[in-house]
Amino acid sequence: MTTKSCSSATASSGWVGEAGAVFWKDLRAELRSRYALNAMAIFAVTTLVVVSFSLGPQALPPPAVAALLWVVLFFAAIASLSRVFLREEEAHTAAALRLAAEPVHVYLGKLLFNLVLLLALDVLLVPLFLALMQARSGNLWLLALVLLLGSVGLAGATTIVAALIAKAAARGALFGGLAFPLLLPLLLAAVSGTRRALEGASCAAAGAELRLLVSFAVVMITASILLFEYVWSE
Amino acid sequence: MLETDAGSGPAGVGEALPPVTLAVHDLAKRYGQRGIFRGVSFTLQPGQSLAITGRNGSGKSTLVRILCGLLRPSAGTVAYHLGERPATPRERRGLIGLVAPDLILYEELSALENLRFFARVRGLQRSAAALEALLAEVGLEGRGADLVGTFSSGMRQRLKYAYALLHRPPVLFLDEPTANLDEAGVAMARACIARQRATGILVIATNDHEELQFGDRILRLGG
């Protein structure tokens, strides 16, 4: 007996289309529910206000501004990016997704969603932060490049950690606890690169930091793609 | 039956698949020291059906989750074969359809958006008309644009059937198939069961005596 199926078990429209579907689904759901956006915005605004009020009119040197900026970005990411898998587990939608989607497409779609969220945060937060800190970027292109590469690495690491902790009981503490040591090399390179950008250094002068940021993102995303199936399977 | 968009599907759509076999050997599940079930073995081929029954907590839903690949067994194997060869993980996803109480669809999305999303992640292309036809088949005509969060429990159950039938799976698992359904919904579910029994593999987990008759064989858990 031969089974005729409208579907094809071997059919494929390509990983871009399938990962893109996961991304658009998450984006649409986020724009309607605003779980992650609200968490991120509240944390970022609160931190900015507290820092600017505590410092008053005093201008900080570039190393302190760079460190503060990445502290804010890191904690805003911690507060919101874990939602990407938590929401699937809490709403019990993960089973439907597991049954239908290729694990690597789920990871890539969720990575893209977290990256877009982080880049949106960068665009909104960084100008405001620099204005409140009375800091200027001496090399705007370098600052943009460091933020972009740092955000890719941050999204790559937080997405896989979010998948790891989604089924755990003490998720909040676990997410920060696991993400921080993993992200330490990235944060150090990003802070150093941002400091150089604020001081007006050239891209060549920040070569070491940029190489580290690229390497971190490549290693983290590659390892995540390879490991995600084991993390995602129940 | 749901129309398939001519020429819009990915390569392989509509192609005849080799016959599917579901072979389960010496399956066991335990949580810590507590054994749920053990020694479950059976083989199903197209046109065959199995009804799983047992008291609450006997592991009916757990067994269905294991058969679908959503949960790992403590011992034993679950194998899907296409003809003589084992199905790849991606092929396996295309073979299985599931309706279950703990399977939830996205509440922030409309019924149509849910179906479109699941079609895309399965690598299928379905037009809005084909998805509307599928919704009509499960009794949700005209409700495609409504958010799933606004649906009643019966409507959600109907949407789960649309989700499960989206890719016309050769193997269909129904855990409590008529839960929350009204009379018309039960008729829809039974029509779906009859179709699947005729063409594919059907596994039903239930304690309803009427539904047990849909299994050619009955597997009793917990005793």
Side-chain angles (χ1 to χ4, degrees), chain A residues 24-111:
Chain A
W24 283 114
K25 183 272 293 176
D26 277 349
L27 190 64
R28 186 172 279 133
E30 178 59 38
L31 291 174
R32 287 176 187 168
S33 66
R34 304 212 173 114
Y35 283 125
L37 282 172
N38 284 346
M40 189 179 255
I42 286 169
F43 184 86
V45 169
T46 309
T47 320
L48 269 183
V49 170
V50 168
V51 169
S52 63
F53 270 92
S54 347
L55 291 172
Q58 181 188 350
L60 290 177
V65 173
L68 265 179
L69 173 62
W70 279 96
V71 165
V72 173
L73 287 174
F74 171 75
F75 282 107
I78 293 290
S80 54
L81 300 191
S82 65
R83 298 291 321 168
V84 77
F85 283 104
L86 270 184
R87 190 164 48 196
E88 301 278 1
E89 296 297 337
E90 287 174 354
H92 301 287
T93 51
L97 189 56
R98 279 191 184 97
L99 274 179
E102 192 90 352
V104 69
H105 300 156
V106 174
Y107 172 75
L108 290 172
K110 302 236 175 232
L111 167 68

Side-chain angles (χ1 to χ4, degrees), chain A residues 51-212:
Chain A
V51 169
S52 63
F53 270 92
S54 347
L55 291 172
Q58 181 188 350
L60 290 177
V65 173
L68 265 179
L69 173 62
W70 279 96
V71 165
V72 173
L73 287 174
F74 171 75
F75 282 107
I78 293 290
S80 54
L81 300 191
S82 65
R83 298 291 321 168
V84 77
F85 283 104
L86 270 184
R87 190 164 48 196
E88 301 278 1
E89 296 297 337
E90 287 174 354
H92 301 287
T93 51
L97 189 56
R98 279 191 184 97
L99 274 179
E102 192 90 352
V104 69
H105 300 156
V106 174
Y107 172 75
L108 290 172
K110 302 236 175 232
L111 167 68
L112 188 59
F113 172 75
N114 270 350
L115 179 60
V116 166
L117 217 58
L118 261 180
L119 291 177
L121 179 74
D122 290 346
V123 168
L124 295 173
L125 182 85
V126 174
L128 195 61
F129 180 85
L130 293 179
L132 286 170
M133 294 292 110
Q134 300 166 51
R136 278 169 192 268
S137 174
N139 185 341
L140 202 58
W141 289 111
L142 177 58
L143 179 66
L145 194 56
V146 169
L147 284 169
L148 175 67
L149 294 174
S151 296
V152 173
L154 193 54
T158 50
T159 303
I160 192 71
V161 174
L164 270 168
I165 58 105
K167 281 173 280 188
R171 293 158 179 161
L174 259 183
F175 189 62
L178 281 176
F180 177 68
L182 204 61
L183 285 168
L184 200 54
L186 173 107
L187 291 173
L188 293 176
V191 168
S192 178
T194 304
R195 176 180 58 80
R196 286 184 188 275
L198 295 176
E199 290 169 346
S202 67
C203 289
E209 286 87 350
L210 294 175
R211 275 193 297 275
L212 208 156

